[in-house]
Amino acid sequence: MKLFVSVLMLLTLGAVGEVVKDFKVACKEFFLDGEPPEFQTGRTASQVPVEGIYVRICQRYNNTYHYATLYDTFNKIPVYSAYRYERTADCTVKRPDITWMIEPQLEDIGNSKEMKLQRSMKVTKQAYNSAYEDSRYDRGHLLPFCHTNSDEAANSTFTLTNAAPQRCDFNKMWYNKVENNVRKKLAACLTASKRAYVVTGVVPSSELEYQTLKKDIVNVPSFFWTAYRCCDNNNKNCEFGGHIMHREADDPTGYNDMNEFHSELRKLYNKPFKLFKDAAFNLKRPRE
């Protein structure tokens, strides 16, 4: 009940999402070894496929960073959210029905860092709540509030920069077959005195599968995916687990081999995409 009441306070309390230039400098604690995912962009590795279109956000609430999001302002959905998993207790609270926030800084870096209700603000670079109305799609968390370990962290997940469209039935299947499964595995990881890191993302729809909500406002992803590492306290001896699920599928595909998972992501994005630095393949580095 405490968590439910606290989440409702989002309607009156300000949360902060800070746009940053480099994940290795800001909120690097949410990435294994402080290394954010990288794309092969042209001839070099980069944290973003294209500068300017993709925006790095350190998701902060009450002056504390809780997770990191790479946001796609063209498709108006996140590429991924990355976080440390730190919850050991079961999550028995129902998902509350509240008004989600937008991020003013995505429209203009000079705007307030405070996440706010849209109201009269003109929004062109991100999703907004009315895009979901009468769409039969839910706002699907990338970092779900049941993967957080405090009321404040749970509050910080209710921003549209941490959500992408999911059909209502897909949302339920993703929760039951992926989010809940991962939560149980990582709770056991923490019980064994280890550390857990998670990256969850989406693959935008394109070509024959291209679909959007209302007048090309928000891309409906073709795939949702998640990958996690369970490591010792030196971030060594890391176990891997991953899931990929098509929006029309009834079941996710599970992966225990990190390189097989990366190989599939490479096909889906049509370019190399490296989540963790110890993946078997290397991206080309820029010359110093």
Side-chain angles (χ1 to χ4, degrees):
M1 178 59 70
K2 181 181 178 182
L3 179 60
F4 178 75
V5 172
S6 184
V7 170
L8 288 178
M9 291 176 67
L10 269 174
L11 295 174
T12 55
L13 294 179
V16 177
E18 185 174 346
V19 174
V20 300
K21 294 183 178 180
D22 188 351
F23 276 148
K24 291 186 178 182
V25 175
C27 56
K28 63 182 180 180
E29 63 269 26
F30 304 114
F31 304 101
L32 178 62
D33 295 322
E35 296 284 344
E38 291 183 315
F39 290 86
Q40 184 74 53
T41 304
R43 296 183 177 180
T44 61
S46 174
Q47 294 177 22
V48 298
V50 180
E51 290 286 356
I53 294 176
Y54 297 85
V55 180
R56 306 165 183 86
I57 303 173
C58 290
Q59 304 281 16
R60 192 175 73 187
Y61 181 78
N62 280 356
N63 295 318
T64 300
Y65 289 144
H66 294 283
Y67 59 106
T69 299
L70 181 64
Y71 193 78
D72 179 348
T73 62
F74 178 77
N75 287 305
K76 298 178 178 59
I77 53 176
V79 180
Y80 66 77
S81 285
Y83 55 100
R84 282 277 303 272
Y85 184 92
E86 298 180 300
R87 184 188 187 97
T88 55
D90 286 340
C91 184
T92 58
V93 179
K94 292 183 178 180
R95 176 172 170 163
D97 182 16
I98 66 171
T99 302
W100 289 57
M101 301 293 185
I102 62 167
E103 172 49 64
Q105 278 201 334
L106 285 183
E107 304 305 321
D108 187 327
I109 192 66
N111 284 345
S112 170
K113 297 177 182 179
E114 299 260 340
M115 291 180 187
K116 298 179 181 295
L117 297 176
Q118 182 188 354
R119 294 197 173 99
S120 61
M121 182 181 296
K122 184 178 181 180
V123 171
T124 62
K125 297 181 180 179
Q126 59 190 300
Y128 46 87
N129 281 298
S130 61
Y132 284 86
E133 292 176 359
D134 302 319
S135 69
R136 296 183 299 172
Y137 282 86
D138 289 337
R139 302 157 184 82
H141 280 89
L142 270 63
L143 166 55
F145 77 93
C146 273
H147 279 204
T148 63
N149 71 331
S150 71
D151 293 340
E152 286 190 359
N155 290 351
S156 73
T157 69
F158 286 88
T159 163
L160 288 170
T161 56
N162 180 51
Q166 291 179 331
R167 281 196 341 262
C168 298
D169 57 338
F170 180 95
N171 192 339
K172 294 176 182 177
M173 289 186 288
W174 181 257
Y175 169 78
N176 288 318
K177 298 181 179 182
V178 177
E179 289 178 356
N180 204 34
N181 178 282
V182 170
R183 182 182 60 79
K184 291 177 180 178
K185 287 183 179 295
L186 296 186
C189 172
L190 298 187
T191 301
S193 300
K194 297 182 179 181
R195 298 175 179 175
Y197 296 84
V198 186
V199 185
T200 298
V202 301
V203 179
S205 61
S206 61
E207 298 180 351
L208 294 178
E209 289 200 335
Y210 182 68
Q211 185 178 350
T212 63
L213 302 183
K214 290 186 179 180
K215 299 179 181 178
D216 297 333
I217 292 174
V218 182
N219 187 288
V220 177
S222 290
F223 293 88
F224 273 71
W225 55 263
T226 190
Y228 63 84
R229 307 296 299 278
C230 174
C231 309
D232 65 26
N233 286 325
N234 295 313
N235 285 345
K236 305 295 182 183
N237 303 311
C238 298
E239 300 173 9
F240 172 85
H243 300 272
I244 299 175
M245 189 170 176
H246 188 270
R247 68 187 184 198
E248 301 294 339
D250 292 328
D251 293 290
T253 300
Y255 296 83
N256 293 317
D257 185 300
M258 180 170 63
N259 297 317
E260 182 182 357
F261 182 87
H262 276 97
S263 178
E264 186 61 26
L265 280 191
R266 178 174 184 157
K267 295 176 185 176
L268 296 177
Y269 284 101
N270 198 29
K271 66 171 57 184
F273 182 25
K274 187 172 183 176
L275 298 181
F276 306 107
K277 73 174 186 177
D278 58 339
F281 67 94
N282 293 316
L283 302 181
K284 294 180 180 178
R285 312 303 309 177
R287 293 183 179 180
E288 297 294 338

